[in-house]
Amino acid sequence: AGEYIFPEKRIILRAILLRSRVTQSLEEWTRGLDPVQSRISVFEHIRNIPYSLDVPVKDPATAPEHILVAGKGSCAPKHYLLAEMFRRIGLDTQFVITPFLWNDPDFRYPPELRRLAAVLPTAYHQACRVRINDRWILVDATWDPRLKSAGFPVNETWDGRSTLRCAVKPLTGQPSPLTDETEKRRTPGKLMEILRFHRGFNAWLAEVREKTW
């Protein structure tokens, strides 16, 4: 008979396997590269991970591993992974939270998705600031390149030193997601609207990528 593995040990073993995935990916993405080339390569690989709203982030500590396993993810897990890898190559990082609306006129939504986006509450985008040469710059790896045709502001190139544009249009005068009690008390009806938008948004992104493949 095989050896019984206690549930606690299974959790530990899984964590080790997931952690090794980040290590392995970082080694592959930076092998033979100098420091500037390494951070550019890390950025490009994470940017190229398909954006998706159907991979929930339950724990920032495990998000870097889970997005690599899933092969897709939203802005938060993408930038948790970016920050983790940048930290490992010796760069200081900070997370940046930006309030925005999904009803961005530049996004070329189909009519039904536009209708759903129009009634959504304020959302919150996450990216990173990175300290390079004693200067903090914004690095945003949110949108994968094939979404450019649908109006998404893809950061196609990065020189490893300059600030990049934010993936969303920031709203001014909005409360932080950590203190906004209204956002925490969303009604069931509002939650269903958000869920319908997420499902429609993911399906539409798949169609956009299919057309640009």
Side-chain angles (χ1 to χ4, degrees), residues 12-55:
I12 294 172
L13 289 173
R14 177 169 176 77
I16 292 172
L17 289 173
L18 288 173
R19 178 66 63 178
S20 67
R21 187 179 292 268
V22 174
T23 300
Q24 179 182 349
S25 295
L26 181 60
E27 290 175 350
E28 292 176 354
W29 297 351
T30 61
R31 186 175 294 121
L33 301 180
D34 66 28
V36 175
Q37 293 171 332
S38 292
R39 57 183 179 251
I40 293 173
S41 178
V42 167
F43 162 76
E44 291 179 342
H45 278 89
I46 295 174
R47 178 205 58 198
N48 292 348
I49 296 174
Y51 184 91
S52 175
L53 291 170
D54 63 2
V55 181

Side-chain angles (χ1 to χ4, degrees), residues 121-139:
T122 300
Y124 296 92
H125 169 63
Q126 181 169 314
C128 283
R129 284 197 186 99
V130 184
R131 188 163 67 181
I132 296 174
N133 298 329
D134 293 324
R135 186 170 66 96
W136 289 98
I137 66 169
L138 179 71
V139 179

Side-chain angles (χ1 to χ4, degrees), residues 9 28 36 57 78 85 101 136 139 143 181 195 206:
K9 189 175 181 181
E28 292 176 354
V36 175
V57 180
K78 278 194 164 197
M85 289 192 167
L101 293 176
W136 289 98
V139 179
W143 307 124
E181 294 298 325
L195 179 60

Side-chain angles (χ1 to χ4, degrees), residues 92-185:
D92 294 330
T93 62
Q94 297 175 340
F95 292 116
V96 181
I97 305 298
T98 303
F100 74 102
L101 293 176
W102 278 111
N103 194 27
D104 187 325
D106 290 341
F107 298 166
R108 298 166 191 162
Y109 292 138
E112 176 60 18
L113 198 56
R114 175 67 66 189
R115 184 189 69 78
L116 292 172
V119 297
L120 291 183
T122 300
Y124 296 92
H125 169 63
Q126 181 169 314
C128 283
R129 284 197 186 99
V130 184
R131 188 163 67 181
I132 296 174
N133 298 329
D134 293 324
R135 186 170 66 96
W136 289 98
I137 66 169
L138 179 71
V139 179
D140 195 318
T142 300
W143 307 124
D144 51 290
R146 283 188 285 167
L147 300 183
K148 181 182 177 182
S149 64
F152 292 90
V154 177
N155 284 312
E156 297 181 87
T157 60
W158 184 43
D159 61 8
R161 300 181 179 88
S162 305
T163 195
L164 294 172
R165 60 180 169 175
C166 183
V168 298
K169 291 185 175 69
L171 292 177
T172 58
Q174 293 294 322
S176 162
L178 300 178
T179 60
D180 182 10
E181 294 298 325
T182 301
E183 291 297 314
K184 295 177 183 177
R185 296 196 297 267

